[in-house]
Amino acid sequence: DSGDPVDGAVRAAPRRARAALAWTREEFASAIGGDVRSAPAIFDESLLLGTQSRSPMTVRALSTCVMYSLRRSDLAKGLALHPQPAGISSGWFRSAQDNVALAKWLPQTDLLKGVTEEQLQAMSFGSRQVFFAPGESVYRRGDPCVPGKSSLFVVLSGQAEMEGDAGVFARTLVVGEVFGAAAALGEVTTRTRTVRAQTGEGLGLLQCAELVGPTIEEACRRCPKLRDHLRCVHERREAEIEEMLNEKRVWLQENLAPVVSRLSLFSKFPVGFVRAVSKRARVHNLEEGGIAFSVGDQADSMFVVVSGEVDLLTKRAEHIGTFGAGASFGEAAMLRLLTLRTTTLQARATCVVAEITSEVVQTVSSEPEFAAVKLFIQRLQRERKEQ
């Protein structure tokens, strides 16, 4: 139940100190602040991880379901056997109880500066902490929004990345930044961008505060000026992001597309396909020594050097070679023939590399005008797997 206390001690963790992971043979659904969740669903990760001491929600079964609980003691045993993941907890925002600490912290965020303490406490009522693994989506472009119910998110720790239309990387979201305001304010019927936990060396879980739609709607109903303030700040931020996205689209069109078109694989494809893929690429600006990917990382993309130089290293950090603009790495991963990186790519000096994911290639090749490209890629995948 909402407000249930939780003992923070690992050894004396009571039965309520748990996160519920739900599976079912047929269907599972629970009502959380007006939301209905189906299997698989996770609740109260913050209790399991110790960042909150009270449950912020009540969960009721709407049909016969099976739920499994994980206690803090279970997590402690796992970390004792595998100590490396313990580092993911560094820097987490910890709220002693309820949402008092969160309401006091929110004025530091870009969207909520100037909002009164009373309004912040009203918006924070019923909020919950949610966690996302590297690469996991908070929401995706096109996800439906419900006026008065869709949530707004605040980054508490970790980093997230935002993608605009056509999959163009928009910006990195850091601690204190707010996203999802348009949906929470009822301005849109679907999510206009994709937000996911950022991947990369040293990055752990993304921790967010989820301010639920009903409480935001009620706070705005009580104080119409609050809605006007949030809308004004949100529209200003949106204009800034859209201007940045337009600049990035032009840059990708003028700088990346010509490089990609000269790659062995992409030289076989129509110009329109190459441009469409290039517009969806993720651009990484690396300083000297920066890592694009490391041995053992999950792999589903290829990297293209746009400017500068990079070093390719073995798993023993032995130098394989130095490569400049036009070099590419990870074609097999992009074609989904490999799932793990077998080398490390490191910036020799300041450089720009572009990442083209298998998802982007699959999405673009699924467009009717590129049907021939899709067939070619499928045939190439079969041939490579047979080798």
Side-chain angles (χ1 to χ4, degrees):
D1 285 339
S2 176
D4 278 354
V6 178
D7 190 338
V10 172
R11 293 182 183 176
R15 188 167 183 79
R16 284 175 181 152
R18 66 192 183 192
L21 177 60
W23 280 285
T24 178
R25 298 167 191 161
E26 297 179 2
E27 181 184 4
F28 167 83
S30 297
I32 315 172
D35 294 339
V36 175
R37 301 289 177 90
S38 299
I42 300 177
F43 313 109
D44 281 349
E45 307 103 301
S46 58
L47 302 184
L48 174 69
L49 299 172
T51 61
Q52 285 186 298
S53 59
R54 292 178 181 271
S55 175
M57 67 188 79
T58 295
V59 180
R60 295 187 181 94
L62 301 182
S63 62
T64 302
C65 63
V66 178
M67 301 179 71
Y68 298 95
S69 65
L70 297 172
R71 305 181 188 183
R72 287 189 204 159
S73 56
D74 299 327
L75 178 63
K77 291 176 182 177
L79 292 177
L81 295 174
H82 305 280
Q84 186 176 359
I88 64 176
S89 64
S90 60
W92 277 348
F93 178 91
R94 299 178 185 273
S95 176
Q97 64 179 31
D98 303 324
N99 295 299
V100 177
L102 178 61
K104 290 182 178 179
W105 183 82
L106 286 176
Q108 303 177 37
T109 65
D110 54 344
L111 183 68
L112 301 175
K113 289 178 181 177
V115 178
T116 68
E117 183 177 350
E118 182 181 359
Q119 292 167 347
L120 288 172
Q121 288 183 357
M123 293 176 64
S124 302
F125 180 78
S127 66
R128 48 186 178 256
Q129 292 184 21
V130 288
F131 296 82
F132 302 90
E136 182 181 1
S137 296
V138 180
Y139 55 74
R140 299 183 67 84
R141 174 179 166 83
D143 285 352
C145 303
V146 180
K149 288 193 173 182
S150 295
S151 299
L152 174 151
F153 298 86
V154 185
V155 180
L156 297 179
S157 68
Q159 294 181 3
E161 57 183 32
M162 176 184 289
E163 291 180 359
D165 60 308
V168 177
F169 174 79
R171 58 184 303 215
T172 297
L173 300 169
V174 297
V175 174
E177 295 201 74
V178 181
F179 57 96
L185 293 172
E187 301 288 321
V188 294
T189 56
T190 61
R191 298 286 185 180
T192 57
R193 297 192 174 94
T194 296
V195 177
R196 61 168 60 89
Q198 196 168 46
T199 59
E201 187 179 26
L203 291 177
L205 298 179
L206 169 68
Q207 179 192 17
C208 294
E210 182 180 0
L211 277 60
V212 295
T215 58
I216 296 175
E217 183 67 21
E218 178 62 18
C220 290
R221 187 189 66 80
R222 293 183 179 183
C223 181
K225 290 184 178 180
L226 173 60
R227 183 184 298 276
D228 294 338
H229 169 79
L230 295 176
R231 182 182 288 117
C232 181
V233 177
H234 169 67
E235 289 176 351
R236 174 176 54 79
R237 292 174 62 224
E238 283 296 295
E240 294 171 353
I241 293 174
E242 192 57 37
E243 181 179 359
M244 181 173 57
L245 282 171
N246 287 333
E247 293 176 354
K248 185 156 290 187
R249 293 185 191 102
V250 172
W251 186 91
L252 290 168
Q253 187 78 11
E254 296 178 351
N255 295 274
L256 180 59
V259 175
V260 173
S261 66
R262 291 192 291 269
L263 298 178
S264 175
L265 175 62
F266 286 90
S267 64
K268 303 177 176 65
F269 301 146
V271 173
F273 178 82
V274 174
R275 289 177 177 172
V277 168
S278 298
K279 286 199 312 184
R280 291 165 169 82
R282 300 176 188 172
V283 178
H284 304 274
N285 296 288
L286 302 178
E287 299 297 328
E288 180 180 352
I291 303 295
F293 58 77
S294 299
V295 172
D297 285 351
Q298 292 292 321
D300 67 345
S301 61
M302 71 179 296
F303 286 77
V304 182
V305 181
V306 181
S307 64
E309 292 184 330
V310 296
D311 290 325
L312 193 64
L313 310 174
T314 68
K315 62 181 180 181
R316 296 180 179 177
E318 297 169 343
H319 186 259
I320 297 175
T322 299
F323 304 87
S328 64
F329 310 88
E331 180 182 297
M334 186 194 66
L335 293 173
R336 297 182 176 178
L337 301 174
L338 293 177
T339 58
L340 296 175
R341 301 290 181 190
T342 57
T343 55
T344 294
L345 191 65
Q346 184 177 39
R348 190 174 185 84
T350 301
C351 68
V352 177
V353 296
E355 182 181 8
I356 301 173
T357 66
S358 58
E359 181 182 9
V360 164
V361 172
Q362 182 178 15
T363 299
V364 177
S365 63
S366 294
E367 296 176 7
E369 61 183 302
F370 301 127
V373 174
K374 183 177 182 178
L375 291 174
F376 178 87
I377 292 175
Q378 290 175 340
R379 185 173 69 252
L380 182 62
Q381 290 171 324
R382 289 195 299 270
E383 293 174 353
R384 294 280 183 89
K385 287 179 180 179
E386 292 172 357
Q387 291 179 353

